[in-house]
């Protein structure tokens, strides 16, 4: 395919199908479960629960809080995540609050990644496991089509709100599954940036209203959801 217009035309039917799927109750595919159904545990044995990691799992929070400059905190945070399979950032609290405000009503969405022969679709879902921790989980459309509710996320993004009030930033850590090798780190980073662009947009601005309406239409499975507009917004440099 030689142009964006051609790509859009080719994948329009797939997006229409996706909208119908997403109009149904949210699937359970974002549960970090194994790709094959686990055996049912005995009634007397409750299933194991994986503890939710907090910011203190990765850094001495009080020591980090001693630094006055948020940029210095971000530099320290990035230095501690200089690994090939990790994504990290410090997000302004205002943007993070916009993201989570929208996400609580619209936790799921679909995002495209460009490929040589078209685009590859990915599902994403926000989860709120703790009051000060927010996750975003990503899996490919192919993985979901193959495994349904047992599809495994290829990328898990964690946000920690510990410094959001006094430092004005939310620290983000992202882990890409190196066992599945379903997606390169650069592509995972593109998906994260797309979420920030759509969910973190200022709802009072013209662009923000357009992006907010895309999310709302998609959640409702509305015929007003416009894949062309989605591509346009993700292709914008802002």
């Amino acid at each position: 395919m030689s142009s964006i217009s051609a790509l859009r035309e080719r994948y329009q039917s797939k997006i229409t199908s996706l909208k119908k799927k997403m109009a149904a109750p949210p699937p359970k595919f974002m549960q970090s479960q194994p790709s094959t159904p686990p055996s049912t545990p005995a009634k007397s044995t409750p299933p194991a629960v994986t503890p939710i990691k907090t910011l203190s799992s990765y850094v001495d929070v009080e020591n980090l809080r001693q630094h006055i400059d948020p940029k210095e905190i971000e530099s320290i945070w990035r230095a501690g995540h200089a690994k090939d399979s990790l994504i990290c950032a410090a997000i302004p609290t205002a943007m993070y609050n916009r993201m989570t405000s929208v996400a609580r009503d619209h936790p799921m969405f679909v995002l495209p990644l460009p490929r040589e022969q078209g685009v590859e679709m990915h599902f994403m879902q926000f989860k709120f496991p703790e009051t000060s921790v927010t996750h975003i989980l990503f899996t490919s459309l192919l993985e979901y089509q193959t495994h349904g509710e047992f599809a495994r996320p290829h990328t898990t993004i964690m946000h920690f709100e510990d410094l959001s009030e006094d430092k004005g930033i939310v620290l983000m850590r992202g882990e890409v599954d190196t066992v599945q090798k379903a997606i390169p780190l650069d592509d995972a980073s593109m998906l994260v940036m797309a979420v920030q662009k759509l969910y973190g947009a200022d709802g009072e601005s013209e662009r923000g209203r357009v992006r907010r309406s895309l999310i709302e239409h998609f959640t409702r499975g509305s015929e007003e959801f416009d894949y062309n507009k989605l591509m346009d917004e993700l292709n914008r440099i802002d």
Side-chain angles (χ1 to χ4, degrees):
M1 306 297 287
S2 58
S3 70
I4 288 294
S5 296
L7 290 179
R8 291 170 178 163
E9 181 177 350
R10 177 177 176 179
Y11 281 85
Q12 189 66 53
S13 61
K14 179 179 289 188
I15 298 303
T16 300
S17 175
L18 282 172
K19 288 191 294 181
K20 292 179 180 179
K21 286 178 179 290
M22 298 303 287
K28 301 177 181 179
F29 74 96
M30 293 297 198
Q31 303 296 330
S32 299
Q33 299 180 31
S35 57
T36 56
S39 58
T40 303
K43 291 184 178 180
S44 59
T45 306
V49 177
T50 302
I52 300 299
K53 291 188 176 181
T54 61
L55 184 58
S56 60
S57 302
Y58 304 104
V59 69
D60 185 329
V61 179
E62 292 310 312
N63 183 52
L64 200 60
R65 201 186 300 273
Q66 299 305 311
H67 297 272
I68 298 176
D69 188 352
K71 291 184 178 180
E72 185 177 356
I73 294 175
E74 180 177 4
S75 297
I76 294 171
W77 181 246
R78 288 183 178 277
H81 291 78
K83 296 182 180 180
D84 293 340
S85 59
L86 294 177
I87 303 171
C88 70
I91 303 173
T93 297
M95 173 183 281
Y96 173 79
N97 287 342
R98 291 195 297 268
M99 289 172 56
T100 54
S101 175
V102 176
R104 289 185 184 279
D105 292 326
H106 311 282
M108 301 181 71
F109 201 65
V110 65
L111 298 166
L113 279 177
R115 293 289 182 257
E116 290 184 5
Q117 298 300 320
V119 295
E120 180 180 80
M121 303 305 299
H122 293 258
F123 280 120
M124 56 134 285
Q125 181 182 17
F126 278 86
K127 296 181 75 68
F128 301 91
E130 297 284 349
T131 55
S132 62
V133 179
T134 299
H135 291 174
I136 310 176
L137 307 178
F138 297 89
T139 196
S140 68
L141 171 61
L142 178 61
E143 170 74 8
Y144 176 58
Q145 288 176 328
T146 303
H147 299 291
E149 66 181 81
F150 297 104
R152 297 179 61 180
H154 58 63
T155 302
T156 301
I157 304 298
M158 295 165 278
H159 298 89
F160 305 106
E161 303 176 14
D162 304 61
L163 307 177
S164 63
E165 293 186 6
D166 54 337
K167 303 300 180 183
I169 56 175
V170 172
L171 297 180
M172 182 192 80
R173 173 188 169 96
E175 300 177 356
V176 179
D177 190 334
T178 57
V179 176
Q180 289 191 76
K181 296 182 179 179
I183 189 171
L185 183 65
D186 286 348
D187 284 353
S189 298
M190 286 181 62
L191 291 173
V192 173
M193 289 188 289
V195 173
Q196 292 177 357
K197 178 177 287 189
L198 294 170
Y199 279 78
D202 182 357
E204 299 300 318
S205 68
E206 180 181 357
R207 296 262 58 80
R209 287 192 293 272
V210 170
R211 294 169 186 178
R212 189 71 56 82
S213 67
L214 283 168
I215 296 170
E216 292 171 351
H217 290 323
F218 191 83
T219 297
R220 295 196 299 265
S222 170
E223 292 298 324
E224 294 183 59
F225 176 77
D226 190 335
Y227 180 62
N228 293 332
K229 285 185 179 180
L230 173 60
M231 294 292 288
D232 287 341
E233 291 303 320
L234 293 180
N235 287 334
R236 284 180 175 273
I237 300 176
D238 56 13

